[in-house]
Amino acid sequence: MKVIVRRAVALLLAATLTAACSKVPGVYVYEKDGQATAAKSGANDPKTYVADNWSTKIVPTVHDKAVDVATVAAAVAKDPEAAGKQYGHQAGTGSPYAYMVKGSGTVTGIDTSVPTGPMTVQVGSTKVTIATGPVIAGTAIRDGVGFVSFGDFTNQIDYAEAANQINAKVKSDVIAKVDLKSIKGKKVDFYGAFSALSPGTIFLVPTELTVTP
């Protein structure tokens, strides 16, 4: 009988500690304002959310609100903070600004030795680097569009996964449709987003990439 009681107490204690730990940031779940509300109202599954919104909302938002990349580049070079407030969007306080931009230029090369497959495009006097994969990383599109919020998901992990799912769409719906082997020297039109992580550098994740005749 004592053994049974001891096991019951141990199980109860373990359950109590687990519940308590779930409230400790960095242990199981990172909670933030709006998370509890999202969980109660039915938070989104990241993969389903992106599948439902990619072609109907995410791509059209970038297309309609993108600013000429040369204009944004000049503004950032002059005053990064002012440029961010005018053209960018922050996912949260202290986060880097993400910009939705568009442009047309000539492909000068692709570095296939790097996992992100950086493709350089010369747009007038502005050099733009576009990620072609196979690794597409970052949160530029998620943060740039302005409507994908932490409160849409259960926790920080799912919020981060939403960015991963967006980048997966970039690979399958944008990059996969372009013949990268023969693109050097050709002109391209592009839409996409980049995060101002390194001053003077534009590393774009594309939502549209079209080779022009």
Side-chain angles (χ1 to χ4, degrees), residues 35-90:
Q35 179 177 330
T37 301
K40 290 180 181 179
S41 62
N44 293 291
D45 168 70
K47 187 173 184 178
T48 301
Y49 178 88
V50 173
D52 290 345
N53 288 280
W54 172 254
S55 60
T56 60
K57 195 172 181 182
I58 295 173
V59 174
T61 296
V62 177
H63 189 96
D64 294 342
K65 295 185 177 182
V67 178
D68 184 80
V69 67
T71 300
V72 173
V76 171
K78 181 179 180 181
D79 187 334
E81 188 63 24
K85 291 179 180 179
Q86 183 175 2
Y87 298 114
H89 182 269
Q90 286 179 296

Side-chain angles (χ1 to χ4, degrees), residues 52-206:
D52 290 345
N53 288 280
W54 172 254
S55 60
T56 60
K57 195 172 181 182
I58 295 173
V59 174
T61 296
V62 177
H63 189 96
D64 294 342
K65 295 185 177 182
V67 178
D68 184 80
V69 67
T71 300
V72 173
V76 171
K78 181 179 180 181
D79 187 334
E81 188 63 24
K85 291 179 180 179
Q86 183 175 2
Y87 298 114
H89 182 269
Q90 286 179 296
T93 304
S95 299
Y97 284 102
Y99 300 89
M100 294 180 288
V101 296
K102 60 183 177 181
S104 298
T106 302
V107 177
T108 58
I110 300 180
D111 188 352
T112 56
S113 68
V114 179
T116 54
M119 177 174 74
T120 54
V121 179
Q122 197 65 38
V123 183
S125 60
T126 303
K127 186 177 79 170
V128 178
T129 303
I130 299 178
T132 65
V135 175
I136 305 292
T139 61
I141 296 175
R142 185 199 69 183
D143 300 342
V145 293
F147 60 80
V148 184
S149 67
F150 182 92
D152 293 329
F153 304 95
T154 303
N155 51 45
Q156 184 68 30
I157 295 173
D158 282 359
Y159 183 48
E161 181 59 22
N164 293 335
Q165 290 298 323
I166 288 173
N167 293 338
K169 276 291 188 181
V170 170
K171 289 176 63 176
S172 64
D173 290 24
V174 182
I175 303 301
K177 297 179 180 180
V178 178
D179 182 6
L180 297 175
K181 293 181 180 179
S182 64
I183 201 171
K184 184 177 179 180
K186 295 183 178 180
K187 289 190 174 183
V188 293
D189 294 332
F190 59 85
Y191 290 80
F194 75 95
S195 293
L197 296 173
S198 301
T201 301
I202 298 175
F203 193 77
L204 183 94
V205 179

